[in-house]
Every structure is written in C-alpha cells, then in structure tokens.
Amino acid sequence: MSNKSFKYYLFSFLILLIGLSLRLFMLDSQSLWNDESATLANTNGLNFWENSSIILNLPHADRFQPLYFMGLFFWRQTFGNTEFALRAFSVLLGMGTIIITYLIAKRLYDVKHAFWTTLLISTSSFAVYYSQDARPPILLLFISAVQLYFYTYFLNPAQDKKQFKYL
C-alpha cells in the first residue's frame, strides 16, 4: 500500500468517525415521539411468534415493513428498551450504509472518489436524521445500498477476478 492510498484510507476512517459522532450526537436527548412509540409497540412481543403476530395484524402501513420490526425486536432482546438502545439500531444501519457506499464508490471509481462519497453520505442531513430515528426508512437506504453494491458486480465482469483478490 502506497503512502497516498494510506492517506485516503486514514481520511476515510476519520470520515466514518465523523459520521458515527453525528449519528450518536444527542441520540437520547428527546423522548420518543408518536411514530417511534408505534415502533416500540410493534416490537413489544414476548417471543418471535408473538411479535410476528403483532406485525401481521397491524391495521396500517407498518405491516408491510416487517424486516425492520423483526430486526428491532431481536435488537431489543439483546440491548434493552432504552431510547438510546432503540435508536441505536438505526445508527447501526446508517453506519452500514456509509460503509457500503464507500465500497460501491471504490469499486466503480477509485479510493479518492470513495473518500468524497463517504464524506457526502456521512454528513448528509437526511441520512443523519433517519439514522437517529427509530423508524424503517433507514433500513430502506441500507438495503438499497446493498443492492447497488451487488449490482456493480454485473457492470464489469472482467474486473471481478481482479477485485476478489483484494477483498
């Protein structure tokens, strides 16, 4: 690894730290608002089957987003029911989105473009907002980034053999 690429990796890591600090900043300073309380109620089952039943019987649009609620149910079982723990699941998905976005830009362009892309997604007000919210939109952003990452493997199949050596 050259000195120049080491600088880009170092700067990218610093951008990740900035993104994490923005997402954790005042995470539990506000109480849960109405939609977050609904999220809490949607993941309030005692076990997997009871929680699945709660999600499947919801009368509104939340029943069409079961993956977030099931993930949050297991997250709550592990990390508890505090406001910080409830919102930390979204922070984790937001940080995963930043990392996946970095990998997409690195794969399609180079490390320099990956650095700038990471800077943009790390400081994006919408990405930060949804990463601090205990609601499903951040999962949509994460899944979209993962899908785009896998789609990039179809763009240049000749590059795949070279890429797999370094992953």
Side-chain angles (χ1 to χ4, degrees):
M1 180 182 330
S2 70
N3 190 25
K4 189 174 182 178
S5 65
F6 176 74
K7 286 183 200 177
Y8 287 125
Y9 285 117
L10 179 64
F11 287 138
S12 298
F13 180 72
L14 291 174
I15 294 299
L16 280 174
L17 287 178
I18 289 170
L20 180 63
S21 63
L22 285 174
R23 282 155 178 77
L24 292 177
F25 181 69
M26 296 178 61
L27 190 63
D28 60 351
S29 66
Q30 296 179 2
S31 60
L32 295 177
W33 54 290
N34 191 25
D35 282 357
E36 289 178 314
S37 297
T39 299
L40 188 64
N42 294 346
T43 60
N44 221 12
L46 296 175
N47 56 37
F48 175 78
W49 301 110
E50 184 178 333
N51 200 60
S52 298
S53 175
I54 290 171
I55 292 170
L56 291 175
N57 292 319
L58 291 174
H60 46 78
D62 280 346
R63 70 176 157 188
F64 300 112
Q65 306 167 29
L67 186 59
Y68 180 82
F69 297 116
M70 292 312 294
L72 187 60
F73 168 74
F74 290 116
W75 182 267
R76 285 180 61 197
Q77 298 296 317
T78 306
F79 296 104
N81 296 321
T82 65
E83 293 170 3
F84 184 86
L86 189 65
R87 292 177 177 146
F89 183 62
S90 295
V91 170
L92 178 70
L93 292 172
M95 291 306 296
T97 302
I98 293 172
I99 293 168
I100 296 293
T101 305
Y102 173 84
L103 294 173
I104 293 167
K106 182 177 171 237
R107 176 165 173 71
L108 292 178
Y109 303 107
D110 60 3
V111 177
K112 183 178 179 180
H113 286 89
F115 165 73
W116 288 108
T117 305
T118 306
L119 179 65
L120 288 173
I121 193 74
S122 293
T123 58
S124 165
S125 60
F126 292 110
V128 171
Y129 175 78
Y130 286 122
S131 293
Q132 291 184 333
D133 191 17
R135 294 296 295 154
I138 192 63
L139 180 65
L140 178 65
L141 187 61
F142 177 74
I143 290 174
S144 299
V146 170
Q147 288 174 336
L148 185 60
Y149 176 76
F150 286 117
Y151 176 71
T152 61
Y153 281 102
F154 295 107
L155 295 178
N156 191 356
Q159 187 182 11
D160 287 343
K161 293 178 184 172
K162 185 175 87 173
Q163 282 287 343
F164 280 122
K165 278 199 241 179
Y166 303 109
L167 285 180

